[in-house]
Amino acid sequence: MSALSQIESLIGEMTLPEKLGQLTMTAAGYAVTGPIIAGDSTEAIKAGTIGNLLNMVGAEHVHEMQRLAVEESRLHIPLLIGYDVVHGHRTVFPVPLAEAGLFDPRVWELTAREAATEAAADGIAMAFAPMLDVARDPRWGRGIEGPGEDPFVGARFAEAKVRGFQGRDLSAPDAIASVAKHYCAYGAVTAGRDYGSVDVSERALREIYLPPFEAAIAAGAVSVMPAFTDIAGVPMTANVRMLQGWLRERLKFSGVIVTDYNAIAELMRHGIAADLPEAAALALAAGVDIDMMSDAYRRGLPIALERGLVNIAQVDAAVRRVLALKLRLGLFADPYRRGATSETAVTLAARRRLAREVASRAIVMLTNPGDVLPLSAALNSLAVIGPLADSSIDMRGPWWGASAEVGHVTVLEGLRASLPGLSIQYSAGVAIDSVDVSGIDAAVDLCRTAQAVILCVGESAAMSGEAACRAHLDLPGRQRDLCEAVLKRAKSHRIPVIVVLFSGRPLIVPWLTEGADAVLAAWFLGSEAGNAVADIVTGRISPGGRTAVSWPRALGQVPIYFGDRPGGRPENPKDRYTSQYLDVPNSPQFPFGHGLTYGRFRLANLRVTPDRAGEGDTIEVRVDVANEGARSAEETVFLFSHDKVASVSRPVLELKGFAKIALAPSENGTVTMRLPAVALRFLGIDLEPVFEPGEVEILVGPCADRSQLLVATINLTP
Ligand code: NOJ
């Protein structure tokens, strides 16, 4: 029987409760982020009235549940089991915001592939990832889960992750379905407050928030999760225009739409449904296939059908999509294929090596003005201070997959392992978030005998991610007291202080970045965090990470991003009546793309050919890069455009490409980037793409700070 007729014959045989079971996803009862459906799920699986699970890990458990579904239920339909495989599963890789800063699609894909392999070995068939929300407001805790502030980066990140999770053949035992989330504009929540309302223009939606999702779908993502939030009053879970119109009709997405946790029931809280049947009907009519954790489809749709709010054809269409996905995943052919073989120690060790390499490359060296880093090999004593120096659990970040609580290498452990000959003394000084300052004196005392201080401060892992927004982006608790005391004492002993800053977002700590001798942004680096930090401070690896978000100088600047439009009165400190603050420049403290290395790079000789280009042409952009420093390092080169005069005011910089080049000391190289001229189209006044003749600036450099960019001009021709 063909796949299609297998599905149709199943649908023909199914009762309404069995159909609604296929449209229901229930938590297995642990590691949940919201309410749990009461009742006995195992009985429901046997009855065929629960068809999908989340938050169940371990091949043994999963196979037992599959056995109930395929052997004991009437129609033998396998379960689909999903999990938040956001940046690793058993092995934790750096958080997505940190990994985005590698600007390396090959690595983005590789870590997703490895995470998928681990998750599949645990019986999982669907990852609620990648998270693709462009995020420009660091108050919002969820920026850490995604690729940062730029839609072009988001799109490249999306493709790589989807390829990584799904592999070449979705039915392979190590491939898992990818859920692009949270569709759409979740990152634009008012005042950076999670679950808040969203109001974005149609242009912002299309230019900023949609491109990563479009790229994910073009790369074959088989599932999409609507955001909890609304856009201009229409919650995404019931947003007919965005789900049916944009996703299904315009983007031709034929996969499965799975809600976020309890989102259908929350349509009542949004105030667009009076009861559960109404909420369920709204979601189904919008094209939502799987109800995660509301139990709205099972309880509400039978009533909605009776009321005539929806019809059975709509139910069948959703069931068809869910069954088609299960078929593509190979679940009908062999529901036990994922988790059938366990991974070898060799594979696990190789994955840890990858995690270490990626983590060290994700570290962003924010400052190092006196070149105190890498540490001198002549050092023989080190003080490691701060509440994040030895906190294994925090190294994982806010999504930890199914990793253990312990065993994630801390900075202290990493330094001790990398520098066995060194005397290393440690004191936390203060807790991450407490008022107790009684440990500060003892911590500061370590400066007496040490030749350098590694000061590990920042946020706990739980201070970013879902439901983790902050209105103050400084160091929590009394860490500032600790830092100031250490900086003062270290100065009096003339020893350098290297700050390792952990956070899920840019922190606004200019007093620290200016007071310390060097600052490393370590985000949350995962299982190999401490080894990665050690690799950088010892100079085994030159830092290469770049920040994928602008770091504000002051909270009043947020939202802050490089792709703003100029306005009619661009900032001019000499003219009061221009777009600026009285008390702080508009520029961020660290621009998008910032990140120092142990090399010293000079970019020169920008060539853009041809200097006239039609829509079908490809523009070649070349720039010479020289490493004038004393160490090998990798430079990241960004390619921006700026359309100077267009029918619609264009952003001052638009990212169009990036590339990397590794150079030894005194080595020169050339970076070549190819830019299809069609990428210089933009959405015209009517929001349709236009290619407008005229001058466009091509800007190339190490970050989004215009003063550091080389500029050439090309002419677009009709
Ligand atoms: C809520 C989060 O918003 C979403 O990202 C996640 O996938 C689900 N919970 C399931 O854990």
Side-chain angles (χ1 to χ4, degrees):
M1 202 190 304
S2 80
L4 229 58
S5 47
Q6 186 184 356
I7 290 176
E8 290 314 318
S9 95
L10 267 175
I11 293 177
E13 276 185 71
M14 289 166 102
T15 62
L16 180 62
E18 283 168 337
K19 288 178 181 175
L20 300 181
Q22 290 306 311
L23 307 186
T24 296
M25 183 175 267
T26 306
Y30 49 82
V32 291
T33 54
I36 270 187
I37 296 178
D40 186 346
S41 308
T42 51
E43 286 311 310
I45 291 170
K46 287 196 250 175
T49 57
I50 285 184
N52 313 285
L53 294 177
L54 78 151
N55 291 344
M56 164 156 288
V57 281
E60 211 181 303
H61 301 304
V62 167
H63 288 177
E64 175 53 18
M65 290 298 133
Q66 279 300 17
R67 200 190 58 73
L68 295 180
V70 296
E71 289 175 31
E72 299 197 25
S73 78
R74 191 174 75 90
L75 296 172
H76 317 291
I77 302 174
L79 295 166
L80 170 64
I81 298 183
Y83 200 73
D84 284 288
V85 187
V86 179
H87 53 104
H89 185 65
R90 299 273 174 193
T91 309
V92 186
F93 296 104
V95 292
L97 183 59
E99 206 197 29
L102 264 76
F103 290 97
D104 191 338
R106 192 190 55 87
V107 171
W108 296 338
E109 179 174 341
L110 200 56
T111 55
R113 183 86 295 276
E114 293 301 317
T117 306
E118 279 191 347
D122 250 344
I124 311 273
M126 172 181 258
F128 304 129
M131 191 280 211
L132 300 174
D133 301 321
V134 170
R136 298 176 160 190
D137 188 332
R139 291 172 297 185
W140 190 51
R142 303 203 74 170
I144 189 175
E145 299 174 48
E149 75 179 52
D150 183 67
F152 179 83
V153 178
R156 303 292 78 77
F157 190 81
E159 297 157 353
K161 289 294 176 194
V162 170
R163 283 197 304 266
F165 284 124
Q166 297 190 173
R168 272 198 215 97
D169 169 11
L170 197 55
S171 69
D174 63 355
I176 62 179
S178 177
V179 182
K181 72 184 188 184
H182 308 84
Y183 181 81
C184 183
Y186 187 10
V189 279
T190 302
R193 212 174 48 245
D194 209 4
Y195 317 125
S197 60
V198 172
D199 253 299
V200 288
S201 70
E202 192 60 22
R203 177 172 299 280
L205 197 58
R206 296 197 196 181
E207 287 186 351
I208 300 160
Y209 296 104
L210 279 169
F213 289 94
E214 292 169 350
I217 286 154
V222 289
S223 184
V224 168
M225 181 187 288
F228 282 126
T229 37
D230 69 346
I231 295 181
V234 187
M236 288 309 305
T237 305
N239 200 315
V240 176
R241 187 175 78 91
M242 293 307 296
L243 297 181
Q244 294 284 20
W246 197 270
L247 204 54
R248 296 231 189 263
E249 279 157 35
R250 185 137 176 172
L251 301 184
K252 306 276 173 266
F253 174 69
S254 58
V256 164
I257 299 180
V258 51
T259 72
D260 207 337
Y261 206 105
N262 199 41
I264 299 182
E266 287 166 21
L267 294 177
M268 294 186 284
R269 287 287 178 88
H270 275 284
I272 66 159
D275 57 15
L276 208 57
E278 265 187 39
L282 285 171
L284 188 72
V288 168
D289 302 311
I290 296 183
D291 164 6
M292 181 198 283
M293 292 306 290
S294 288
D295 216 10
Y297 276 0
R298 289 197 311 174
R299 294 199 290 131
L301 281 185
I303 302 168
L305 284 162
E306 269 169 32
R307 288 187 198 161
L309 299 176
V310 279
N311 58 48
I312 195 70
Q314 289 170 298
V315 173
D316 288 351
V319 173
R320 197 169 287 123
R321 286 189 286 263
V322 173
L323 295 180
L325 177 57
K326 290 185 177 184
L327 204 75
R328 273 194 71 187
L329 282 161
L331 289 166
F332 280 100
D334 176 8
Y336 307 108
R337 64 180 50 187
R338 292 181 182 78
T341 50
S342 46
E343 297 205 276
T344 65
V346 176
T347 320
L348 295 173
R351 198 168 292 133
R352 282 297 278 233
R353 281 198 298 280
L354 175 69
R356 179 171 180 163
E357 186 202 322
V358 178
S360 54
R361 292 182 61 202
I363 293 170
V364 179
M365 188 158 75
L366 293 174
T367 66
N368 188 28
D371 289 335
V372 294
L373 284 179
L375 291 178
S376 150
L379 276 192
N380 48 41
S381 65
L382 207 56
V384 178
I385 298 175
L388 280 136
D390 198 26
S391 180
S392 176
I393 199 162
D394 284 303
M395 299 299 102
R396 303 188 302 181
W399 284 115
W400 48 84
S403 68
E405 286 193 1
V406 292
H408 309 281
V409 182
T410 68
V411 177
L412 184 64
E413 290 165 344
L415 288 170
R416 284 199 166 135
S418 283
L419 299 165
L422 222 63
S423 149
I424 297 183
Q425 300 209 61
Y426 158 69
S427 169
V430 293
I432 294 175
D433 194 12
S434 131
V435 290
D436 183 4
V437 290
S438 59
I440 292 183
D441 286 349
V444 170
D445 257 6
L446 299 186
C447 298
R448 275 192 302 134
T449 48
Q451 291 169 314
V453 179
I454 307 286
L455 183 57
C456 302
V457 291
E459 300 178 324
S460 70
M463 288 177 182
S464 52
E466 186 179 349
C469 303
R470 297 184 68 209
H472 299 284
L473 301 186
D474 48 10
L475 292 182
R478 301 301 289 270
Q479 293 185 72
R480 181 167 183 164
D481 297 319
L482 172 71
C483 290
E484 285 176 343
V486 168
L487 288 171
K488 194 166 162 210
R489 181 70 71 87
K491 201 166 186 185
S492 73
H493 289 286
R494 292 200 163 76
I495 59 170
V497 176
I498 292 109
V499 171
V500 183
L501 190 61
F502 290 91
S503 64
R505 51 167 69 80
L507 293 182
I508 301 173
V509 286
W511 56 270
L512 184 62
T513 44
E514 279 149 27
D517 296 277
V519 178
L520 300 175
W523 315 102
F524 294 104
L525 295 167
S527 302
E528 287 288 316
N531 285 333
V533 171
D535 287 342
I536 295 295
V537 301
T538 58
R540 203 180 76 81
I541 290 181
S542 173
R546 305 302 181 105
T547 174
V549 277
S550 308
W551 283 58
R553 298 170 191 273
L555 190 57
Q557 291 180 303
V558 309
I560 183 167
Y561 48 94
F562 71 82
D564 202 3
R565 291 190 292 269
R569 295 183 172 195
E571 178 185 28
N572 176 1
K574 294 199 195 103
D575 180 354
R576 178 170 184 146
Y577 294 94
T578 59
S579 177
Q580 60 197 340
Y581 302 99
L582 291 177
D583 47 3
V584 71
N586 289 358
S587 62
Q589 189 190 2
F590 302 111
F592 169 94
H594 173 75
L596 306 172
T597 73
Y598 292 152
R600 217 174 61 238
F601 292 104
R602 205 163 56 80
L603 272 63
N605 197 14
L606 174 64
R607 282 98 76 201
V608 179
T609 50
D611 59 4
R612 301 174 70 75
E615 196 169 353
D617 294 336
T618 295
I619 301 159
E620 197 169 78
V621 178
R622 294 198 296 156
V623 67
D624 296 337
V625 185
N627 182 359
E628 297 175 346
R631 289 173 170 272
S632 297
E634 192 175 51
E635 175 68 322
T636 306
V637 179
F638 295 93
L639 164 60
F640 301 96
S641 69
H642 174 223
D643 196 334
K644 295 201 296 192
V645 181
S647 54
V648 174
S649 173
R650 300 304 301 154
V652 291
L653 291 176
E654 292 183 65
L655 188 66
K656 298 292 176 189
F658 48 78
K660 296 174 90 80
I661 181 167
L663 293 173
S666 308
E667 199 186 350
N668 300 307
T670 299
V671 168
T672 304
M673 290 180 270
R674 282 184 186 80
L675 174 66
V678 70
L680 298 174
R681 291 198 311 191
F682 62 91
L683 300 180
I685 290 177
D686 56 2
L687 294 175
E688 289 305 321
V690 286
F691 185 81
E692 284 185 359
E695 283 190 350
V696 171
E697 285 179 325
I698 300 294
L699 307 98
V700 172
C703 64
D705 171 9
R706 202 175 228 274
S707 71
Q708 296 186 52
L709 298 175
L710 302 171
V711 190
T713 301
I714 58 158
N715 262 291
L716 299 186
T717 54

